[in-house]
Amino acid sequence: LSNFGFQQIQVKLMASMFQNMFPSINVHRVNLNSIKRCLLLTYDPETQLLQFRHYSVKVVPVGVSKGLKKLLQEKFPNMSRLEDISELL
């Protein structure tokens, strides 16, 4: 939640409703593999509009071979044409 610190009762009510609907995230302690989606709400007090942003979070390995990436993502490649696991890696 962003910019929900104003003293108007309707803004406080709206902020508490969203806080109770969705769990908060501590970005320094959270395990990224446990997050699938994230929501960002921003309130603009001048226009009294609410911006709603929804993010899909996907963790992918970087800097590894295509075969190892499939194994790390638990997608099992077709290894019938390989003689050894080293050919995949």
Side-chain angles (χ1 to χ4, degrees), residues 15-68:
S16 71
M17 179 189 72
F18 283 121
Q19 284 175 339
N20 290 323
M21 284 175 63
F22 305 104
S24 62
I25 297 173
N26 184 347
V27 293
H28 301 291
R29 303 177 102 192
V30 70
N31 180 6
L32 288 179
N33 291 328
S34 66
I35 298 176
K36 301 295 180 194
R37 294 185 181 104
C38 189
L39 178 69
L40 175 65
L41 296 168
T42 305
Y43 178 71
D44 186 2
E46 293 177 6
T47 60
Q48 295 184 350
L49 293 177
L50 187 68
Q51 289 185 355
F52 176 90
R53 292 186 181 196
H54 180 258
Y55 297 96
S56 174
V57 179
K58 183 177 178 183
V59 179
V60 294
V62 177
V64 294
S65 68
K66 186 176 179 180
L68 185 58

Side-chain angles (χ1 to χ4, degrees), residues 77-89:
N78 182 6
M79 298 188 337
S80 63
R81 64 182 184 275
L82 304 176
E83 292 182 24
D84 190 1
I85 189 71
S86 64
E87 293 179 18
L88 177 68
L89 302 178

